[in-house]
Amino acid sequence: MKIKIHYLFIIFAIFMLIQGRFFEFFQYFICVLIHEYAHGRVSERLGYKLSSIILMPYGAGLNLKDQIYSEKDEIKIAIAGPICNLFLLVATLAIWWVYPETYSYLYTFAIANLTLFLFNLLPAYPLDGGRVLCGLISLKFNRKTAIKIVKIFNYIFVIILLGLFVASLFFSVNFTLLFAAIFLMLGIVDKNEGGKYLGINISKTKKRGEWSEHFCRDTRHKNHGYCKALQTQ
């Protein structure tokens, strides 16, 4: 699995370094890596494999080569990241309770986990909350329809975040709001329609032939490239 760095993450890193906040950025970077590690671990346990990870300012994009996936599994994989950040946040609070002198050292770590947890729960694409919502909608409708519905929330949150950023110009400028808005804008124009996992070890649940028949029998997948290929065989 390859790890790639999105240009927005690089800009964010440069911005933090210029401000002399290297230690803060390092802790944030660790939180993002742990967040994505949780996604990867759960996906492997469910029998899927991510082709690559793209590090972004508010998490990491899951770059996938195939469109054969289980909506229910997608939900489990997506929610793993925020749950991991919540666990780290609770663990940090517990450490503060026992060793209060660590407060100043772990403050940024706690805030980073809180930010990743809350922001990724937003029902916007490609955040984890958006992937969960997309997975739920995909249980009833086709994938493209689900993504179009979820991306409506992107427009709403982009407007809200840009409005808050403009308001911050009159008080204390908060570039984090701008980065968040740009990140969700990228979700709107994303053509990957990601969140689909490359299946491996399908035999864990069903024999390959049974799994293929079950997958292609679903009317939502009738135009899927994999199913069309089977029809030509």
Side-chain angles (χ1 to χ4, degrees):
M1 178 175 60
K2 298 179 180 179
I3 297 180
K4 303 177 182 179
I5 301 178
H6 194 274
Y7 68 87
L8 195 59
F9 187 88
I10 297 176
I11 294 175
F12 179 73
I14 294 175
F15 173 75
M16 293 288 285
L17 294 176
I18 290 177
Q19 291 191 319
R21 299 163 64 183
F22 173 79
F23 186 65
E24 292 180 31
F25 173 75
F26 177 74
Q27 292 188 68
Y28 189 88
F29 179 71
I30 293 300
C31 291
V32 170
L33 286 181
I34 296 175
H35 174 103
E36 199 53 39
Y37 176 77
H39 285 307
R41 285 293 297 169
V42 173
S43 65
E44 288 180 359
R45 291 183 65 86
L46 292 173
Y48 294 87
K49 183 179 181 180
L50 306 178
S51 61
S52 65
I53 294 175
I54 305 177
L55 294 178
M56 297 182 182
Y58 298 96
L62 310 181
N63 192 18
L64 309 134
K65 295 180 179 179
D66 210 318
Q67 297 185 19
I68 299 176
Y69 66 98
S70 163
E71 290 86 354
K72 292 182 179 180
D73 287 348
E74 177 182 27
I75 294 172
K76 295 175 183 178
I77 295 172
I79 202 66
I83 289 179
C84 181
N85 290 125
L86 178 61
F87 173 80
L88 291 174
L89 176 61
V90 173
T92 303
L93 295 176
I95 292 175
W96 285 347
W97 180 267
V98 180
Y99 303 103
E101 62 272 16
T102 63
Y103 178 84
S104 59
Y105 298 101
L106 296 176
Y107 175 78
T108 300
F109 186 78
I111 294 299
N113 279 296
L114 178 62
T115 300
L116 287 171
F117 171 71
L118 294 177
F119 188 72
N120 273 284
L121 287 183
L122 293 179
Y125 188 85
L127 298 176
D128 295 324
R131 293 180 185 278
V132 170
L133 180 58
C134 190
L136 291 172
I137 297 175
S138 296
L139 293 172
K140 297 295 183 181
F141 302 95
N142 63 60
R143 183 74 181 185
K144 290 185 178 180
T145 299
I147 290 180
K148 287 180 180 179
I149 294 175
V150 173
K151 285 186 176 182
I152 292 175
F153 289 96
N154 283 60
Y155 289 101
I156 296 174
F157 288 118
V158 165
I159 293 174
I160 293 175
L161 290 170
L162 287 179
L164 291 174
F165 171 70
V166 172
S168 74
L169 296 177
F170 299 94
F171 303 96
S172 178
V173 181
N174 190 335
F175 286 100
T176 301
L177 296 171
L178 180 61
F179 276 112
I182 294 175
F183 182 71
L184 294 184
M185 286 181 186
L186 293 177
I188 295 175
V189 300
D190 179 22
K191 300 300 182 181
N192 178 44
E193 299 187 358
K196 313 181 195 74
Y197 303 92
L198 176 60
I200 59 174
N201 296 330
I202 293 174
S203 58
K204 286 183 178 180
T205 55
K206 298 183 179 183
K207 292 181 180 179
R208 186 174 183 86
E210 295 176 354
W211 183 88
S212 299
E213 181 181 357
H214 173 78
F215 180 83
C216 295
R217 190 187 299 123
D218 192 324
T219 56
R220 291 175 293 122
H221 304 144
K222 64 180 180 179
N223 294 321
H224 195 285
Y226 178 77
C227 298
K228 288 182 177 180
L230 287 179
Q231 294 172 4
T232 59
Q233 292 180 358

